[in-house]
Amino acid sequence: MFGTAIVRGKVIRFRLPAALAAAQKRNAGKSMTDEEAVAFVEAKRREVALRGAKPYLEARS
């Protein structure tokens, strides 16, 4: 399976690694709703924010 990317205005085609190609085929046709996408991004943002605040929160307790 080949992937396509635009790099500095040029279209580049490259062969995907076998594991990535298998994952791509497994996920074909699946998509998130807008609400699911927002919830996913917010969960990741919250996770990173808590990780950064952990030393501060531990020092205060």
Side-chain angles (χ1 to χ4, degrees), residues 1-5 12-29:
M1 179 180 250
F2 286 90
T4 306
I12 307 294
R13 287 180 43 92
F14 54 94
R15 183 177 296 278
L16 289 176
L20 193 54
Q24 177 77 13
K25 288 178 183 175
R26 253 193 331 270
N27 292 328

Side-chain angles (χ1 to χ4, degrees), residues 24-43:
Q24 177 77 13
K25 288 178 183 175
R26 253 193 331 270
N27 292 328
K30 294 182 184 176
S31 62
M32 288 186 183
T33 64
D34 289 343
E35 293 81 17
E36 288 173 328
V38 168
F40 177 78
V41 170
E42 282 299 312

Side-chain angles (χ1 to χ4, degrees), residues 44-55:
K44 289 292 184 185
R45 183 197 58 76
R46 198 172 301 114
E47 189 179 296
V48 170
L50 283 173
R51 199 176 321 132
K54 189 175 181 182

